[in-house]
């Protein structure tokens, strides 16, 4: 291990060079891409990093943006692995880069971490890009973005425009485009990949005019913008923001004075107060707002998704895990799911939990959900079974994650209903996977299966770095996963170097009967027939009604606009009368 | 000075007291009954001779088949009924009223459960008659029964509807009125055409007018008229709330298992127009000239009109859709749109109402509408009703197909289908899944077409009328009911208690239950008669309001003297149906909103241009003014 100095347009930068898996790679940690968004610049748009003088020391991993730690169990790796392992700071707009030492004109893979827009860090150990870089000869960039109120406070005001975190991401992508050449990357061969909130962010970038052309391929792992937890209407976002103002004692008469007050509140208090906002099941305090002035511009994110008004000359890989719901059930319904033995529910408990989880939905939708996810052969309503516990896992996974991902895959392939602002080009290819591998290093009980977030370690090759904890077949599996991801990043097609017939990944289209790729170790990497059709059709109708309600809210706002016009008409009249 | 003033007051007080006593004495002397021993009544229209009937020693004069309108035949077919002309001599009223042309139920020949609803006597187009029972010692109250039958069947002359027991035991006058049915009563070619629709309802209105003008001759008090009806008859009683010309003819209503807002009880003008033109075409009466169509239709033999109408009825829509029913908007009866009037609260408000439903409203319809193999409710009337074959043990697939059959009422929504299937599967507590599916379909059908619509109507009405509103829930299964026991307390099987059938046809009942059923019948007749007299029920029966939705249970608990009060009958299920309707409506509203939003955008653009132009003009004016100054 020895230092290496690199010249970039912004100034000289010092990283680290070392061998990993017989390959020499360089790392540049904590590289700044924006000026610190602190003090007067808190809650505002990010500002491009200026040139620096002297040598910048990029050997320490990037700070985590300000967030509250998950205190579920500080000695349990299952939850601790997602907590920040570096300093937590408001000054956090930095990124981590891994590049082969002899890099020239290489593909760049930019990672968007998840964490519900309230947590996460580019420096987590499971996001370590060294294995990916070593084995696939790609440059890996982990970007950071502001979280919680720091990144997503919305008051419809320049001082709190909303979606600041997304603007951070966008600025990072611009930075990559401008500077990755210095690290041996090709700015025209950028792929983005993200999980959960990171995946939802990528979908947001497909819509945002300012993100157009910044990447060619996108991998969405277990997340989509239309997920209920990922996006708020301006009304709801403002509601939460005003509640936060109240909680920290900053609800003044004007937004300006409120913002001035808010900038003086300590980040600890600000971050802690967010959890006193009342939230429903799997609702997060501060998330993307569907309409703002800077990031989405003239577009409404909800409407753009439905009308097909988003960038299509991008290839998409979209995926889901088999047991998405279990992770959330452990946190939200601990008395039923937080246990070492496989949980069991009876029909009555199952019905009760559906009512609890979907309490904001009308009764008719809860009832329909019970019907679809219950087994007609289970006639004994009092008997506890693993089946109902498993169905609770599936129902949470489907509604909050998988079905919206599949809908996006379908939507991406359909012809847009309105004229897209971009020139009409052939839409990119779509690939869908279903991840079903249970990790032997997973510290959660075995019954939790392929939980939300537990495909990441295979994507980043953790089985190769911590080989003691994994079986050999998992290491082989991880190499294949990395090959799929890197191949897609390079060519827009996931393909293994040594190809068996059964491991050919078909495109998600009518010709291939919309088949998915099952990803599991051993001989289980193969195309499978699509699943969840009945369930997702149902949830699509539910989303339709939610969208209708959203439009109703929006229409009410339009009335105010009309009122404004009339007001504008009367003022000159009044002036005229004075004269 | 003070003493004389006090004296004057005392004198005045004594005088008033005397006057009051005198008034009371005068009222008591007035005789109530003026029917002579030979059952002859002199009405303003002429003399009517009836027939004597005796029940338990009590004497009742029955005037059967009394005509109230000119015969609606020939050129009067499809016309609004006209008051009958005065006649000379005596009118013989000894034979039960004829039945109007109707759809005969031929699904289960010779089976009592079906045949009991078929007419016992002659069928005729000349049918605008009524039956009247006048007890010897009546109290002057009048109860007018309007029979049900979906507006396509029914007759006032069923044995079941005989008013003699009710009249004798409760000392009230009972009147059963006839009205035209099917195409004869409800054909519709538009408000500008010779056939303006709702002739059947206008028949009822004319009958009420007849009662209003002539019941005094029988000793009845025309200011104390109560309408009571079941199913389509009940829908008719509530329809009269919205008919301005009917308002002065009644003051109380007993509405059982039906209201005018039920989906089967009315149809929109375009729907009725389409069905009417279809009928015209079927009987070869198509023509570009409306008058030619009408003339042709009047010349077709009545039985052919009826036959073709029956053919059309079998072809339309999902289950529980009837072809020739009241049109919801007309110029004669409703004088407007009934739903609009409901929304605007334009209905008779000085009225007292009892609403009621039975526990298993839906089961009666299953053998008729859901007998196909894919639904699984076939009924074989040639074997015992309790035979396993007649237990309708359906599979889950049958359950799904049966529920799906009603989804056209919800725009074919799969989400709604799934929600209903989940909810109604748990209606029954049986351990046998097939029984739960069966009972689920039955309950759903009953809720959708009867119970929930009645509750919705009661909710709307009870907030807006000045009189009393009550609700009952009938839960006693008649031992005379020949249908399978799983069908429970069926639609229409509370009528026999209101008419005292256990008393005069005891052989129909299981002897071990006969005394109980007589007692229940007596209680119910007393409740009805008391309501007819006073507009109120006993104090143990709380008034209905839409917040608590209290109903009294009439059944075993009534016999035990317990007066059980039920809150929110079928509440959860009815709310789900309401949500489903709102859900379906929302989808349609979405399209509307899109259109509206586009228009709004256009308006904004227009406003913007206007604003800009106006601003320039204003500022130029200001500039000119400034220069002038």
């Amino acid at each position: 291990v020895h230092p290496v100095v690199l010249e970039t347009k912004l100034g000289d930068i010092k990283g680290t060079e070392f061998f990993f898996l017989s390959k020499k790679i360089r790392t540049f940690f904590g590289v700044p891409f924006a000026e610190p968004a602190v003090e007067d610049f808190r809650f505002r748009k990010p500002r491009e990093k200026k040139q620096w003088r002297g040598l910048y020391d990029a050997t320490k991993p990037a700070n985590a943006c300000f967030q509250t730690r998950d205190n579920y169990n500080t000695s349990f790796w299952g939850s601790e692995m997602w907590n920040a392992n570096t300093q937590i700071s408001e000054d956090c707009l930095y990124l981590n880069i891994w590049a082969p030492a002899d890099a020239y004109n290489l593909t760049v893979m930019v990672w968007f971490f998840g964490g519900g827009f309230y947590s996460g860090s580019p420096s987590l150990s499971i996001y370590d890009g060294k294995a990916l870089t070593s084995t696939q000869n790609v440059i890996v960039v982990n970007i950071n973005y502001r979280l919680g109120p720091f990144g997503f406070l919305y008051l419809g005001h320049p001082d709190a425009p909303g979606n600041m975190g997304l603007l951070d991401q966008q600025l990072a992508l611009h930075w990559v485009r401008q500077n990755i050449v210095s690290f041996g990357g090709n700015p025209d061969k950028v792929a983005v990949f993200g999980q959960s909130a990171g995946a939802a962010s990528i979908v947001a970038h497909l819509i945002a005019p300012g993100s157009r052309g910044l990447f060619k391929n996108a991998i969405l792992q277990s997340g989509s913008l239309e997920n209920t937890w990922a996006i708020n209407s301006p009304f709801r976002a403002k509601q939460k923001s005003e509640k936060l103002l109240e909680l920290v004692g900053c609800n003044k008469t004007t937004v300006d004075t409120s913002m001035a007050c808010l900038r003086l509140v300590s980040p600890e208090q600000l971050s802690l107060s967010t959890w006193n906002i009342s939230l429903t099941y799997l609702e997060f305090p501060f998330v993307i707002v569907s309409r703002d002035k800077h990031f989405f511009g003239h577009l409404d994110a909800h409407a753009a998704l439905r009308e097909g008004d988003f960038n299509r000359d991008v290839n998409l890989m979209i995926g889901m895990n088999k047991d998405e719901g279990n992770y959330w059930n452990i946190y939200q319904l601990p008395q039923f799911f937080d246990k070492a033995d496989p949980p069991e529910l009876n029909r009555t408990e199952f019905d009760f939990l559906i009512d609890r989880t979907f309490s904001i939905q009308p009764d008719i939708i809860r009832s329909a959900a019970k019907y679809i996810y219950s087994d007609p052969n289970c006639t004994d309503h009092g008997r506890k079974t693993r089946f109902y516990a498993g169905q609770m896992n599936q129902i949470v996974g489907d509604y909050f994650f998988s079905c919206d991902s599949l809908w996006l895959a379908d939507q991406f392939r359909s012809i847009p209903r309105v004229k897209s602002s971009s020139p009409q080009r052939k839409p990119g290819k779509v690939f869908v996977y279903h991840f079903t591998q249970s990790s032997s290093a997973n510290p959660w009980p075995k019954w939790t299966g392929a939980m939300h977030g537990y495909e990441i370690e295979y994507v980043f090759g953790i089985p190769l770095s911590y080989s003691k904890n994994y079986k050999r077949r998992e290491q082989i599996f991880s190499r294949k996963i990395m090959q799929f991801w890197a191949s897609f990043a390079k060519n827009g097609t996931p393909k293994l170097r040594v190809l068996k017939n059964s491991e050919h990944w078909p495109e998600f289209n009518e010709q291939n009967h919309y088949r998915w790729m099952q990803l599991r170790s051993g001989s289980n990497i193969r195309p499978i027939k699509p699943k969840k059709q009945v369930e997702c059709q149902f949830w699509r109708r539910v989303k339709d009604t939610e969208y209708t309600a959203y439009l109703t809210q929006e229409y009410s706002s339009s009335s105010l606009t009309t009122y404004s016009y009339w007001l504008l008409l009367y003022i000159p009249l009044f002036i005229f009368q004075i004269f | 000075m003070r003493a004389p003033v006090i004296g004057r007051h005392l004198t005045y007080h004594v005088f008033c007291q005397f006057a009051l006593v005198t008034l009371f004495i005068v009222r008591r002397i007035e005789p109530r009954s003026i029917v002579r021993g030979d059952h002859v009544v002199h009405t303003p229209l002429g003399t009517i001779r009836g027939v004597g009937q005796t029940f338990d020693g009590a004497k009742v004069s029955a005037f059967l088949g009394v005509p109230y309108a000119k015969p609606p035949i020939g050129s009067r077919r499809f016309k609004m009924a006209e008051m009958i002309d005065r006649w000379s001599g005596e009118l013989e009223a000894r034979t039960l009223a004829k039945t109007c042309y109707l759809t005969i139920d031929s699904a289960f020949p010779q089976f009592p459960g079906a045949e009991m609803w078929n007419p016992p006597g002659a069928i005729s187009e000349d049918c605008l008659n009524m039956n009247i029972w006048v007890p010897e010692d009546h109290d002057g109250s009048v109860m007018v029964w309007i029979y049900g039958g979906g507006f396509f069947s029914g007759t006032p002359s069923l044995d079941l509807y005989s008013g003699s027991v009710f009249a004798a035991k409760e000392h009230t006058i009972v009147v059963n009125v006839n009205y035209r049915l099917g195409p004869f009563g409800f054909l519709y070619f538009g408000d500008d055409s010779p056939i303006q629709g709702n002739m059947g309802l206008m028949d009822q209105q004319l009958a009420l007018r007849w009662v209003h003008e002539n019941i005094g001759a029988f000793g009845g008090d025309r200011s104390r008229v109560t309408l009571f009806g079941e199913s389509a008859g009940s829908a008719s009683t509530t329809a009269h709330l919205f008919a301005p010309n009917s308002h002065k003819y009644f003051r109380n209503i007993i509405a059982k298992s039906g209201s005018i807002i039920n989906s089967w009880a009315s149809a929109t003008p375009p729907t009725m127009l389409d069905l009417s033109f279809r009928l015209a075409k079927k009987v070869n009466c198509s023509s570009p000239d409306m008058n030619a169509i009408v003339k042709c239709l009047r010349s077709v033999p009545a039985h052919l009109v009826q036959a073709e109408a029956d053919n059309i009825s079998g072809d339309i829509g999902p289950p529980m859709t009837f072809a020739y029913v009241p049109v919801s908007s007309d110029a004669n009866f409703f004088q407007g749109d009934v739903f609009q009037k409901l929304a605007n609260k334009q209905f008779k408000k000085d009225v007292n109402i009892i609403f009621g439903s039975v526990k298993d409203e839906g089961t009666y319809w299953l053998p008729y509408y859901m007998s196909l193999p894919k639904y699984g409710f076939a009924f074989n009337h040639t074997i015992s009703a309790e035979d396993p074959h007649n237990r309708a043990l359906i599979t889950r697939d049958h359950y799904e197909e049966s529920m799906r059959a009603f989804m056209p009422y919800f725009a074919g929504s799969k989400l709604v289908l799934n929600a209903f299937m989940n909810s109604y599967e748990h209606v029954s507590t049986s351990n046998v899944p097939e029984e739960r599916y069966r009972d689920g379909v039955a309950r759903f059908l009953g809720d959708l077409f009867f119970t929930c619509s009645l509750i919705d109507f009661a909710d709307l009405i009870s907030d807006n009328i000045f009189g009393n509103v009550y609700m009952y829930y009938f839960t006693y299964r008649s031992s005379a009911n020949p249908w399978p026991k799983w069908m429970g307390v069926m639609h229409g099987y509370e009528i026999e208690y209101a008419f005292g059938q256990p008393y005069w046809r005891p052989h129909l009942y299981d002897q071990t239950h006969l005394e109980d059923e007589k007692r229940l019948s007596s209680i119910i007749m007393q409740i009805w008669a008391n309501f007819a007299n006073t507009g109120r029920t006993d104090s143990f029966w709380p008034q209905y309001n839409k917040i608590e939705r209290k109903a009294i249970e009439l059944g075993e608990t009534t016999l035990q003297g317990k007066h059980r009060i039920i809150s929110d009958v079928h509440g959860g299920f009815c709310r789900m149906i309401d949500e489903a309707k709102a859900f379906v409506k929302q989808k349609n509203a979405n399209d509307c909103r899109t259109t509206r939003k586009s228009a709004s955008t256009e308006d904004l653009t227009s406003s913007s241009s206007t604003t800009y132009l106006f601003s320039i003009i204003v500022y130029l004016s200001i500039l000119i003014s400034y220069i002038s100054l």
Side-chain angles (χ1 to χ4, degrees), chain B residues 183-204:
Chain B
F184 299 95
F186 298 101
L187 204 65
Y188 172 80
F189 284 107
D191 289 342
D192 300 328
S193 78
I195 302 180
Q196 297 175 344
N198 290 343
M199 290 79 71
L201 292 178
M202 293 298 287
D203 294 347
Q204 295 175 13

Side-chain angles (χ1 to χ4, degrees), chain A residues 20-21 440-441 461-472 474-475:
Chain A
F20 182 75
L21 300 178
S440 54
I462 305 303
L464 306 184
S465 307
Y466 300 87
S467 52
K468 283 200 305 289
N469 298 335
Y470 292 88
K471 295 184 170 68
R472 172 144 185 82
E474 286 177 276
Q475 291 170 352

Side-chain angles (χ1 to χ4, degrees), chain A residues 60 78 111 159 201 213 219 281 335 395 482 511:
Chain A
K60 190 166 69 69
W111 172 249
D159 284 342
S201 301
I219 301 173
Y281 186 104
Q335 64 268 42
I395 198 171
M482 287 192 286
Q511 192 175 319

